[in-house]
Amino acid sequence: MDLRQLRYFATVVAERNFNRAAERLHIAQPPLSRTIRQLEEEIGAELIDRSSRPLKLTAVGHLVHEQALQMLGRMEDMRAMVRTAVGSERRRFAMGFAASTMYARLPELIREFRIEAPDVELVLVESVTFDQIAALKEGRIDVGFGRIRFEDPSLQRTVLRYEALIVALPAASPLAREEGPISIRALADLPLIIYPRQPRPSYADQVLSLFRDHSIEPRVVQEARELQTAIGLVAAEEGIAIVPETVRRARSHDVRYRELLEGATSPIIMSHRIGDSSPELRIMAGVIARKYGEWGYKVPDALKL
């Protein structure tokens, strides 16, 4: 007696007809009939009264049918539990990131993490630094990458490195045709495009502070929703934008980039919950430390989780 025989028997009882049962099982009718006969021979008694229409169970058939349903049900329960157990073994790691960090070699870190942790489901969530704070505290993400400094006693912040800021200029601008670094003071009267528009504080406030630190009140003409929109507006000759240095790889046919004489920078900051020592966070920290070493960046001590 095996589970296949019991399943076939239970299907015949449910359909009360061999032909319909065979169709439901996707087999021919003769093999189904032979299987039921073999089951009856093993038990030593008829299970189905074949003279009745529709088919009826014998007294022994009722007993076997009841036990068969219980056994098949337990088998299905076991399958469900195993599926759940297998699914639970696939760990989940959610990563929040500000859009501009995608230009700062973050894609390479993501690829390396997937290689190091192939069984981990990596969930990527684009969000500004301000939103990452709440997401980390509520457990919706496990690590965040942004550019804005903030203090929160429940979160650990690690400055991975400082990225140089540059100015993005329309290709037709006279300043775009010049070579070498440019002073922030030379940009004082030019229309400025900042991003993101909301929420604040944000990277936009870093840019505004850069001008005001040099006693310049910038002439803001547009507040773009995101980085790509700001660069598009620069290409459309609506103004200039101050962007991280790695953005220069994103668009160059109608936008020109120049370094800033003042050497302004923007931090790339990794945030996670204090006390979190999950294997996934350790893997991410290890990936960053290793790749930073390969790229020639200084590796922060805090990455040794």
Side-chain angles (χ1 to χ4, degrees):
M1 186 184 302
D2 58 38
L3 289 172
R4 179 182 61 87
Q5 291 173 322
L6 295 179
R7 184 165 60 87
Y8 283 13
F9 174 57
T11 304
V12 171
V13 175
E15 296 294 336
R16 293 180 176 271
N17 182 282
F18 276 93
N19 287 328
R20 289 197 300 272
E23 291 177 4
R24 179 172 164 182
L25 292 166
H26 305 291
I27 62 172
Q29 190 270 331
L32 175 60
S33 296
R34 284 196 300 271
T35 300
I36 301 302
R37 282 295 186 191
Q38 290 170 356
L39 180 60
E40 290 176 323
E41 290 172 4
E42 289 186 35
I43 291 173
E46 288 190 351
L47 303 178
I48 297 174
D49 181 359
R50 292 168 175 78
S51 63
S52 64
R53 293 291 182 275
L55 299 177
K56 291 183 179 180
L57 292 173
T58 64
V60 175
H62 279 291
L63 175 62
V64 173
H65 181 243
E66 180 181 338
Q67 295 300 316
L69 290 181
Q70 292 183 24
M71 293 181 67
L72 291 170
R74 286 197 294 272
M75 181 58 65
E76 186 56 40
D77 289 343
M78 187 185 76
R79 287 197 186 99
M81 286 188 290
V82 169
R83 284 195 297 268
T84 300
V86 170
S88 65
E89 289 181 356
R90 184 168 171 81
R91 305 187 304 274
R92 182 178 183 275
F93 188 64
M95 186 181 82
F97 64 93
S100 66
T101 60
M102 269 297 172
Y103 298 96
R105 314 199 79 160
L106 190 58
E108 294 159 276
L109 298 177
I110 292 171
R111 289 197 300 269
E112 197 69 17
F113 178 88
R114 290 189 186 278
I115 293 172
E116 291 285 325
D119 295 327
V120 175
E121 179 188 1
L122 180 60
V123 180
L124 303 176
V125 182
E126 181 181 350
S127 58
V128 296
T129 305
F130 185 81
D131 291 338
Q132 289 178 26
I133 302 172
L136 281 166
K137 295 171 73 170
E138 294 169 9
R140 290 183 281 115
I141 62 173
D142 301 293
V143 67
F145 295 89
R147 294 183 180 274
I148 308 304
R149 297 180 181 277
F150 64 82
E151 296 297 329
D152 190 290
S154 63
L155 301 179
Q156 179 173 325
R157 312 268 289 151
T158 301
V159 176
L160 299 179
R161 64 187 178 93
Y162 290 90
E163 186 176 3
L165 295 182
I166 58 177
V167 56
L169 300 153
S173 168
L175 292 176
R177 293 192 287 270
E178 298 178 8
E179 299 292 334
I182 185 172
S183 172
I184 195 76
R185 297 188 182 280
L187 308 175
D189 297 325
L190 298 181
L192 178 67
I193 300 163
I194 61 173
Y195 70 91
R197 183 186 304 118
Q198 294 291 338
R200 305 292 278 274
S202 70
Y203 174 78
D205 297 289
Q206 286 188 355
V207 172
L208 295 176
S209 295
L210 173 62
F211 280 88
R212 288 165 181 162
D213 287 346
H214 291 83
S215 303
I216 300 169
E217 187 58 38
R219 184 159 67 90
V220 178
V221 294
Q222 294 274 3
E223 292 189 13
R225 183 175 181 179
E226 57 187 18
L227 171 60
Q228 285 291 359
T229 304
I231 295 297
L233 290 170
V234 172
E237 302 183 7
E238 290 296 307
I240 65 168
I242 305 298
V243 298
E245 191 273 336
T246 47
V247 173
R248 71 163 75 233
R249 291 178 289 181
R251 186 169 187 162
S252 59
H253 66 283
D254 50 8
V255 177
R256 299 291 179 268
Y257 300 94
R258 291 182 64 182
E259 289 76 17
L260 290 173
L261 191 62
E262 289 75 12
T265 61
S266 175
I268 299 173
I269 305 172
M270 182 179 79
S271 305
H272 62 85
R273 290 178 290 275
I274 286 179
D276 186 353
S277 57
S278 69
E280 294 77 22
L281 187 60
R282 288 179 177 274
I283 291 171
M284 177 60 78
V287 164
I288 296 172
R290 186 175 69 256
K291 297 304 289 185
Y292 269 34
E294 293 176 9
W295 296 330
Y297 301 148
K298 181 181 178 181
V299 179
D301 291 337
L303 290 183
K304 301 171 184 178
L305 299 175

